[in-house]
Amino acid sequence: MLSWIRRNPPQHKGRLTPEFDRVYHYHIRKTAGSSLNAAFLSAFAGKRVTVKALAGAPKHRIAGEIGPAVGWNERLIKAGSFAYAFSHSPFHSLKVPAKTCTFTVFRDPVERAYSHFLMLKGYIENGVDHPCLASEGDWAKGDFADFIASADRDHLLRQLYMFSEDFDVDEAVEAVSSLDQVGFFHELGNFLESAQALFSVDLPMRHENRSLSRKKLSAEDLAAFRPHFEPEYEMLAKIRERKG
């Protein structure tokens, strides 16, 4: 696994660094990915750009000083028509071109799922007409235990499913090992510093798409719900071990 850190990288025409022409984020929901995307979008565009603005742009693409940024558009992503791009598409369904710096960010599995639950709950309680409610709204009509019982497995264990269609831990670890960098939610400061050094850009983090509810789980609740997410905890332990 490569390191982000390359101080003062030489600039090559049409390339971000000698190794990479572009950057791609395998975006797992509720891992601070929207805030990371907004930081990269703004850095590459040379002005502040929000994910919401990109969602409203034609083909989900905007031009920028460093190069175009793309969100969700699999056709453009597969073609490599971007300097920075992201989507929620799983690793096994979307392969990016060579010379693309790839990364993802992981979070404690129970915390991530609880944040997903709170997001949906907040939309419902505040009357937010978000498209995801059409397929996910019923999952959040009860409490978090009900959410765990009713949510589709590919959303509940999204971190694992993102890198293995069959929810195979070892397959997922191998896929993650092919990425150029892995970040962790509670270590985003170090992650951003390294990214800034590699690409010689400022990446100011602003909270985007934060859950409307700010409730937190107790340590006892985290422990009680953990068995439902054991495959993801196993995957993350193996990733950390291999990452060193």
Side-chain angles (χ1 to χ4, degrees):
M1 196 173 294
L2 299 177
S3 168
W4 282 101
I5 301 175
R6 291 174 176 80
R7 297 289 180 185
N8 301 315
Q11 296 301 305
H12 291 238
K13 185 176 181 180
R15 292 186 176 180
L16 299 178
T17 75
E19 295 90 349
F20 302 122
D21 296 344
R22 62 189 75 81
V23 183
Y24 179 74
H25 176 196
Y26 286 98
H27 179 190
I28 302 167
R29 293 166 77 189
K30 311 314 296 179
T31 60
S34 293
S35 297
L36 272 173
N37 289 333
F40 272 101
L41 291 173
S42 299
F44 280 45
K47 60 182 180 181
R48 184 177 180 185
V49 178
T50 65
V51 174
K52 185 177 181 179
L54 182 65
K59 298 182 180 180
H60 302 318
R61 181 183 185 274
I62 58 171
E65 291 182 355
I66 296 178
V70 172
W72 311 286
N73 189 321
E74 291 193 5
R75 184 182 64 81
L76 293 179
I77 292 169
K78 289 177 179 178
S81 301
F82 63 90
Y84 180 79
F86 66 90
S87 81
H88 300 306
S89 299
F91 179 87
H92 41 82
S93 70
L94 194 157
K95 304 299 182 186
V96 297
K99 296 189 180 298
T100 300
C101 181
T102 55
F103 77 91
T104 197
V105 176
F106 292 112
R107 185 176 183 178
D108 176 271
V110 177
E111 289 183 359
R112 191 203 70 83
Y114 186 62
S115 181
H116 187 174
F117 164 71
L118 290 182
M119 177 189 72
L120 298 175
K121 199 78 168 174
Y123 288 161
I124 294 169
E125 292 176 350
N126 290 275
V128 177
D129 186 22
H130 194 281
C132 71
L133 291 179
S135 58
E136 302 173 22
D138 287 345
W139 303 344
K141 289 185 175 179
D143 58 18
F144 185 47
D146 296 322
F147 173 82
I148 291 174
S150 59
D152 291 345
R153 194 177 186 219
D154 61 336
H155 284 271
L156 196 66
L157 300 180
R158 190 65 182 187
Q159 298 182 110
L160 176 55
Y161 179 77
M162 176 64 85
F163 296 100
S164 173
E165 187 174 14
D166 298 320
F167 300 92
D168 183 284
V169 169
D170 290 330
E171 180 183 43
V173 172
E174 286 301 318
V176 173
S177 295
S178 72
L179 304 186
D180 296 298
Q181 182 63 2
V182 174
F184 294 92
F185 182 84
H186 295 294
E187 301 168 4
L188 281 182
N190 293 335
F191 186 79
L192 282 169
E193 286 180 9
S194 298
Q196 290 176 145
L198 173 57
F199 299 117
S200 297
V201 295
D202 292 325
L203 295 170
M205 281 283 284
R206 302 180 181 90
H207 290 295
E208 299 261 338
N209 202 25
R210 176 184 278 176
S211 298
L212 296 174
S213 175
R214 308 292 289 277
K215 299 176 183 176
K216 292 185 178 181
L217 287 173
S218 66
E220 292 78 11
D221 287 334
L222 285 169
F225 290 120
R226 178 175 173 131
H228 296 283
F229 300 88
E230 209 52 60
E232 284 199 346
Y233 282 106
E234 180 185 353
M235 176 190 72
L236 294 180
K238 289 185 175 183
I239 289 170
R240 283 190 176 275
E241 180 181 1
R242 182 171 294 200
K243 188 172 181 285

